[in-house]
């Protein structure tokens, strides 16, 4: 049934308002293992978690990462849907070597030519980074802020203040530091596909948890020690890549449909305006023109 509906998206979506809901549905199906045909030949995802745990312990002994927090196993009451054979339930902290945020104070901003980019929540969107309002800090402050964590390509940037629970893989081609309202998730990159972790965190399953863990009345905050408790269904690596490819294919379909529907709506509006003007008397048209001219 899922595949039938996905194959007939263009016929089923008739309004722009349906597009965003469809995008969210695609993410939700992805984390349930319902988007791709499965071949149960790869080693199970539980071995990925074991590898990360061993590697994290080694990095801690070497002094490369902070002391990892002990997290409870995912209980049966935290598993709202079944997952395919070979998948494993994990917590966000189980996938990371380090989870850190930026300085807990407002920095002194400088002009772009003399500074280093400094990202905050307003720069992170599900569909990419919005750099139109990018701010900058001095090189000295940048280096000081990066003592907490220096963002690397493939890290997950996760909003934790204001608008919380939005994830985006760092694919930026320049150095930057982050404010307190952003968390940098240093995940295992050889056994995990960062783009899958991003889409999983943006699925309804993970997003609802992020909102439940967000505290505050006016200053919303998704604390680091709370966000690492978020549960994630994890497939083997090859399947992660296949799921991401299918999601990107379906998102491209949604983008095309949205563009077509917007174009159609604009054309319909223009046609309606022409029709109404044709039916107006000369006096009515003059009144409308006078109103438009102020």
């Amino acid at each position: 049934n899922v595949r039938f509906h996905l194959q007939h998206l263009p016929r089923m979506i008739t309004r722009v308002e349906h597009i965003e809901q469809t995008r969210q549905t695609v993410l939700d199906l992805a984390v349930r293992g319902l988007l791709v045909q499965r071949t149960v030949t790869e080693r199970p995802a539980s071995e990925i978690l074991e590898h990360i745990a061993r590697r994290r312990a080694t990095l801690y002994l070497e002094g490369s990462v902070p002391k990892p927090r002990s997290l409870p196993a995912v209980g049966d009451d935290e598993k709202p849907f079944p997952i395919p054979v070979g998948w494993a339930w994990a917590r966000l902290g189980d996938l990371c070597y380090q989870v850190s945020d930026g300085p807990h104070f407002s920095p002194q901003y400088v002009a772009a030519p003399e500074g280093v980019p400094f990202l905050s929540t307003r720069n992170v969107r599900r569909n990419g980074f919005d750099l139109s309002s990018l701010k900058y800090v001095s090189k000295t402050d940048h280096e000081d802020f990066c003592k907490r964590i220096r963002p690397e390509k493939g890290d997950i940037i996760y909003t934790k203040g204001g608008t919380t629970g939005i994830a985006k893989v760092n694919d930026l081609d320049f150095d930057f530091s982050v404010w307190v309202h952003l968390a940098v998730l240093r995940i295992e990159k050889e056994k995990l596909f960062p783009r899958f972790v991003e889409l999983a965190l943006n699925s309804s399953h993970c997003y609802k948890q992020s909102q439940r863990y967000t505290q505050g009345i006016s200053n919303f905050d998704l604390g680091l020690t709370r966000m690492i408790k978020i549960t994630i269904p994890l497939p083997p690596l090859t399947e992660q890549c296949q799921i991401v490819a299918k999601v990107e294919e379906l998102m491209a379909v949604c983008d095309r449909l949205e563009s077509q529907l917007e174009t159609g709506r604009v054309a319909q509006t223009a046609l309606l305006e022409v029709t109404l003007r044709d039916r107006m008397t000369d006096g009515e048209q003059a009144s409308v023109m006078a109103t438009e001219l102020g």
Side-chain angles (χ1 to χ4, degrees), residues 170-234:
N170 175 25
D171 55 6
L172 298 174
D173 293 320
F174 53 82
D175 291 333
F176 63 90
S177 46
V178 300
W179 197 26
V180 61
H181 286 170
L182 291 181
V184 179
L185 314 180
R186 174 95 2 107
I187 63 171
E188 159 63 40
K189 300 181 181 73
E190 293 183 3
K191 304 291 184 180
L192 298 174
F193 192 23
R195 182 83 169 86
F196 176 83
V197 179
E198 172 195 309
L199 69 84
L201 287 174
N202 287 329
S203 71
S204 295
H205 170 70
C206 292
Y207 181 75
K208 288 177 182 177
Q209 293 177 79
S210 74
Q211 300 313 288
R212 189 166 67 247
Y213 286 130
T214 296
Q215 297 182 354
I217 298 176
S218 57
N219 296 318
F220 299 113
D221 178 65
L222 173 59
L224 299 178
T225 58
R226 297 189 296 277
M227 73 170 61
I228 59 176
K229 298 176 183 178
I230 291 174
T231 62
I232 295 178
L234 181 68

Side-chain angles (χ1 to χ4, degrees), residues 234-248:
L234 181 68
L237 179 58
T238 299
E239 198 166 349
Q240 294 175 39
C241 299
Q242 293 171 342
I243 290 171
V244 169
K246 176 56 71 172
V247 167
E248 291 178 345

Side-chain angles (χ1 to χ4, degrees), residues 11 16 25 28 33 46 58 64 86 100 106 113 117 119 128-129 140 149 190 197 200 226 231 239 252-253 277 285 292:
R11 298 180 182 178
V16 175
T25 299
D28 296 343
S46 58
T58 300
S64 301
S100 299
S106 296
L119 269 64
F129 290 100
T140 300
I149 191 168
E190 293 183 3
V197 179
R226 297 189 296 277
T231 62
E239 198 166 349
V253 172
R277 285 182 181 276
Q285 290 187 32
E292 292 175 349

